[in-house]
């Protein structure tokens, strides 16, 4: 008979690679378990591990290890009365997911029609042309007084809202470019079915250029300063982009925006010549220089939200990591020792990257460059951090490195995976790949919520992300390939607390509700490390 999964068996709902470790987690307290085919034939029997309590999820789980099952097929796992969602075992499994995670950026494009031929049932009309954006009063600096009209068209919407933010664009765009560079052959053979597919560039480069070109328009050519963000004064309602035309503003020029812009442009300028984009690369190199010079002249322009602006702040008071990242990229672009000096002043120990903490992006660029040998101390620090992540995973009942649940916790999980895959590249040690697979298993369902956190993938994935377009488009399924922010206990007031129950335990505090911007939003900086992780693993599986 067909049993309904109760959610007490936590698995990767997409599936496991034949040659890799295969772990499930049971909340059932069972001595043994079976893996069965769809037809109910038992193909594997095993004993479960000890029950362990995780203080972050407030529950007790035991490991079911079926790594020795290597026959490709469609399966489910049973223990006592309980069954899991179905999953696959195969030699390669993540190609579709890698494509969708990257194509989410096409779905996030601002100011263009999405044609049915590319967007399918999620086709839509353009909104936000952003050709008559006003300079906000706070950005007055003598060159472009309050009310100056500028054009800053294109790019990607940041998240569930329609804003475009330079700080968050920096890390997102960089991470995609990093994947394009480190998984080059993989991305060259990828076809996303976007309007540019079939031109001479890999789709990941075409897609990233959409945002890079927008970023260029956020720089004031008069002084090299870069606006922090482009948004309306208030978040608009849950309507389609074409249904809203509130005035948009560029707000402030900040040091963080200038440095993140400089770093991203310097990196792009370094790699785009490989695709014969020489003129564009030159323009980006000059823009990076100008932004860097502006930052030197304005080292303390921290973002402060003006009273009449209520959209996301992406504010950050500590800019040493932004200095380090920009200096590292400028050094790699120009080979000029002054940048090396500056980077040494601001170096910090590597960690897991976020929009606010970008030090490690510079470390990764240096260690994956031809200058690697100059940075052996930094390499030791980086590998020590990767090993710390592995030791955390070893101690975790959930077999995952994350031990702190912040806003966007899922992006910390995939960024942990990114660190491990860079460590694998540096050392060739497969233990890092194995550990990165555990991060993906977590994302795809082996976590305390039982959700596969990527829209459209797995039996139980988010259906109601806090994302204006997916909410307003009249299509039941959300746009696919989006990683939601994930569990954390930062904000309990996003949904009506009488109607929506949230766990007090950080690793379980997630709800698939549209109101839950703190756990169920999508964002460009969360998807980019997912693209990196999944593309890298699928490339390894080839
Ligand atoms: O990702 C951001 C998170 O680290 C912050 O804690 C949070 C509150 O400031 O903001 C998040 O970023 C949001 C941004 O401000 C506006 N667009 C949506 C982003 C994702 O929620």
């Amino acid at each position: 008979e067909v049993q309904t999964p109760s959610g007490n068996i936590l698995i990767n709902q997409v599936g496991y690679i034949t040659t890799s470790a295969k772990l499930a987690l049971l909340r059932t307290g069972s001595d043994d378990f079976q893996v069965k085919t769809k037809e109910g034939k038992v193909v594997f029997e095993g004993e479960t591990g000890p029950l362990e309590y995780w203080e972050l999820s407030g529950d007790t789980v035991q490991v079911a290890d079926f790594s020795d099952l290597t026959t490709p097929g469609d399966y489910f796992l049973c223990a006592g009365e309980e069954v899991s969602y179905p999953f696959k075992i195969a030699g390669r499994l993540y190609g579709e997911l890698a494509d969708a995670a990257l194509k989410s950026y096409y779905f996030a494009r601002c100011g263009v029609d999405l044609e049915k031929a590319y967007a399918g049932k999620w086709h839509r009309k353009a909104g936000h042309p952003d050709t008559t954006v006003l300079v906000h009063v706070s950005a007055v600096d003598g060159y472009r007084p309050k009310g100056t009209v500028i054009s800053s068209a294109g790019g990607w919407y940041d998240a569930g809202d329609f804003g475009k933010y330079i700080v968050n664009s920096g890390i997102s765009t960089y991470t995609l470019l990093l994947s394009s560079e480190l998984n080059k052959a993989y991305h060259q053979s990828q076809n996303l079915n976007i309007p540019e597919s079939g031109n001479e560039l890999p789709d990941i480069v075409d897609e990233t250029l959409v945002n890079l070109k927008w970023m260029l328009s956020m720089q004031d050519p008069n002084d090299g300063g870069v606006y922090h963000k482009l948004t309306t004064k208030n978040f608009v309602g849950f309507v389609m982009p074409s249904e809203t035309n509130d005035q948009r503003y560029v707000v402030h020029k900040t040091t963080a925006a200038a440095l993140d812009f400089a770093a991203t442009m310097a990196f792009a300028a370094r790699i785009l010549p490989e695709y014969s984009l020489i003129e564009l690369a030159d323009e980006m190199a000059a823009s990076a220089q100008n932004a860097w010079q502006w930052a030197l002249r304005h080292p303390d322009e921290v973002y402060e939200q003006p009273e009449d602006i209520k959209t996301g702040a992406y504010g950050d008071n500590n800019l040493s990591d932004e200095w380090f990242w920009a200096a590292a990229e400028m050094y790699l672009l120009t080979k000029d020792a002054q940048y090396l000096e500056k980077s040494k002043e601001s170096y910090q120990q590597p960690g897991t990257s976020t929009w606010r903490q970008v030090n490690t992006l510079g470390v990764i660029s240096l260690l994956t460059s031809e200058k690697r040998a100059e940075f052996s101390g930094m390499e030791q620090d980086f590998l020590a951090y990767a090993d710390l992540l592995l030791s955390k995973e070893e101690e975790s009942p959930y077999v995952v490195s994350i031990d702190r649940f912040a806003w966007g916790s899922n992006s910390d999980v995939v960024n942990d995976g990114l660190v491990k895959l860079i460590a694998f590249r540096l050392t060739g040690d497969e233990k890092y790949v194995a550990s990165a697979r555990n991060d993906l298993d977590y994302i795809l369902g082996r976590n305390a919520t039982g959700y596969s956190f990527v829209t459209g993938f797995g039996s139980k994935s988010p259906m109601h992300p806090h994302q204006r377009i997916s909410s307003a488009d009249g299509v039941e399924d959300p746009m696919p390939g989006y990683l939601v922010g994930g569990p954390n206990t930062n904000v309990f007031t996003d949904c009506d607390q009488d109607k929506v129950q949230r766990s007090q335990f950080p690793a379980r505090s997630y709800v698939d509700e549209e109101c839950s911007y703190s756990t169920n939003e999508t964002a460009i900086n969360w998807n980019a490390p997912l693209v990196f992780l999944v593309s890298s693993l699928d490339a390894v599986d080839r």
Side-chain angles (χ1 to χ4, degrees):
E1 85 281 29
V2 184
Q3 290 160 278
T4 316
S6 67
N8 283 327
I9 303 181
L10 307 169
I11 52 145
N12 177 334
Q13 296 169 25
V14 173
Y16 301 84
I17 301 302
T18 35
T19 52
S20 71
K22 301 169 197 75
L23 307 181
L25 294 170
L26 311 185
R27 283 192 185 124
T28 51
S30 178
D31 293 339
D32 47 34
F33 68 97
Q34 300 84 41
V35 179
K36 295 181 182 171
T37 63
K38 275 200 285 198
E39 294 73 34
K41 187 176 156 230
V42 176
V43 291
F44 188 89
E45 285 179 278
E47 280 168 25
T48 53
L51 278 163
E52 283 188 76
Y53 178 76
W54 200 24
E55 63 280 4
L56 293 169
S57 56
D59 63 356
T60 305
V61 290
Q62 50 190 169
V63 169
D65 185 342
F66 52 103
S67 303
D68 291 342
L69 175 59
T70 56
T71 316
D74 289 289
Y75 302 107
F76 58 96
L77 195 142
C78 310
E81 297 296 296
E82 310 261 356
V83 301
S84 75
Y85 292 112
F87 61 87
K88 283 184 191 299
I89 294 178
R92 268 189 78 192
L93 271 173
Y94 308 129
E96 240 181 275
L97 176 60
D99 291 352
L102 182 54
K103 192 161 177 175
S104 74
Y105 292 88
Y106 169 71
F107 286 115
R109 286 190 195 183
C110 169
V112 290
D113 291 338
L114 300 198
E115 311 278 349
K116 204 171 180 182
Y118 310 113
K121 62 182 171 182
W122 297 283
H123 68 93
R124 67 170 190 254
K125 285 270 158 251
H128 304 105
D130 288 341
T131 46
T132 53
V133 175
L134 298 184
V135 174
H136 187 262
V137 55
S138 60
V140 167
D141 55 16
Y143 296 103
R144 285 172 163 177
K146 166 192 175 184
T148 305
V149 178
I150 69 163
S151 178
S152 188
W156 303 313
Y157 295 123
D158 183 60
D161 64 317
F162 295 137
K164 303 193 286 195
Y165 307 77
I166 284 291
V167 163
N168 206 39
S169 273
I171 181 171
S172 309
T173 308
Y174 169 85
T175 304
L176 292 185
L177 282 177
L178 186 72
S179 193
S180 78
E181 198 53 11
L182 300 187
N183 300 306
K184 203 163 187 182
Y186 182 83
H187 289 297
Q188 263 160 349
S189 64
Q190 214 173 11
N191 183 340
L192 297 184
N193 185 31
I194 57 176
E196 299 79 6
S197 296
N199 72 6
E200 63 285 4
L201 301 176
D203 286 352
I204 193 169
V205 175
D206 278 314
E207 192 53 60
T208 310
L209 284 174
V210 166
N211 206 53
L212 282 167
K213 287 177 180 168
W214 166 71
M215 288 176 77
L216 284 174
S217 73
M218 288 289 278
Q219 183 174 45
D220 181 348
N222 297 298
D223 65 351
V226 180
Y227 298 107
H228 194 74
K229 64 176 181 177
L230 188 168
T231 71
T232 48
K233 287 192 174 179
N234 296 295
F235 283 124
V236 302
F238 276 58
V239 296
M240 291 303 278
S242 52
E243 299 303 307
T244 168
N245 53 15
D246 290 21
Q247 181 61 49
R248 309 247 282 178
Y249 296 85
V250 286
V251 188
H252 277 311
K253 289 172 181 170
T254 63
T255 313
L259 291 171
D260 287 349
F261 175 100
T264 307
M265 288 301 160
F267 183 45
R270 183 155 58 92
I271 67 171
L272 290 182
E274 293 166 24
Y275 303 97
S276 308
L277 296 169
I278 309 292
E279 263 176 53
L280 185 59
D282 286 348
E283 185 190 341
M284 288 172 171
S287 304
Q289 290 272 7
N290 292 340
W292 173 268
Q293 293 297 335
W294 187 93
L296 287 177
R297 296 196 303 276
H298 304 87
D300 304 310
E301 288 298 326
V302 165
Y303 184 77
E304 271 167 46
Q305 183 93 304
E307 251 179 49
D308 61 339
I309 302 273
K310 310 282 183 220
T311 51
Y314 287 118
D316 183 0
N317 298 327
N318 183 339
L319 300 181
S320 56
D321 53 308
E322 283 78 9
W323 279 108
F324 176 80
W325 181 31
E329 299 294 349
M330 292 301 286
Y331 173 61
L332 290 171
L333 176 66
T334 63
K335 312 290 184 289
D336 184 337
Q338 60 156 315
Y339 298 113
L340 189 58
E341 287 311 307
K342 191 79 189 175
S343 76
K344 282 181 182 156
E345 282 168 26
S346 46
Y347 175 68
Q348 304 164 42
Q349 291 298 314
T352 298
S353 302
T354 67
W355 63 264
R356 197 196 292 276
Q357 185 49 257
V358 293
N359 177 73
T360 303
L361 306 181
V363 172
I364 289 170
S365 279
L366 292 169
L367 296 183
T368 56
S369 77
E370 78 279 4
K371 295 279 182 193
R372 174 181 174 186
E374 291 175 24
F375 300 96
S376 52
M378 201 179 281
E379 182 163 343
Q380 277 171 19
D381 292 348
F382 181 83
L383 293 176
Y385 182 66
D387 289 338
L388 176 68
L389 291 177
L390 264 57
S391 67
K392 285 183 178 187
E393 175 197 281
E394 214 161 288
E395 283 159 26
S396 158
Y398 268 77
V399 204
V400 71
S401 303
I402 189 170
D403 61 358
R404 218 189 117 249
F405 285 79
W407 191 314
S409 61
N410 283 339
S411 82
D412 293 331
V413 173
V414 284
N415 268 315
D416 286 349
L418 184 151
V419 166
K420 295 167 190 176
L421 289 165
I422 299 291
F424 169 61
R425 173 173 295 271
L426 296 174
T427 62
D429 193 331
E430 295 276 346
K431 71 181 179 187
Y432 296 114
V433 178
S435 183
R437 289 191 195 282
N438 282 321
D439 294 319
L440 186 59
D441 290 342
Y442 172 97
I443 291 296
L444 296 177
R446 201 180 68 205
N447 61 66
T449 73
Y451 275 91
S452 166
F453 287 123
V454 183
T455 56
F457 288 84
S459 300
K460 187 185 182 192
S461 65
M463 288 300 288
H464 312 287
H466 179 91
Q467 192 199 57
R468 281 165 179 69
I469 297 172
S470 279
S471 164
D473 63 6
V475 180
E476 187 181 353
D477 294 328
M479 298 187 290
Y482 281 96
L483 179 67
V484 296
N488 73 88
T489 48
N490 281 35
V491 177
F492 270 105
T493 49
D494 47 5
C495 297
D496 181 339
Q497 282 162 274
D498 294 334
K499 292 191 189 128
V500 176
Q501 297 296 311
R502 276 268 295 279
S503 173
Q504 300 288 331
F505 289 101
R508 287 190 88 153
S509 204
Y510 165 80
V511 283
D512 181 20
E513 298 283 347
E514 191 176 287
C515 46
S516 190
Y517 57 80
S518 70
T519 73
N520 207 27
E521 190 164 355
T522 64
I524 55 173
N525 62 315
W526 301 338
N527 251 71
L530 178 71
V531 168
F532 186 96
L533 173 67
V534 178
S535 305
S536 305
L537 289 178
D538 195 45
V540 167
D541 297 338
R542 275 193 170 180

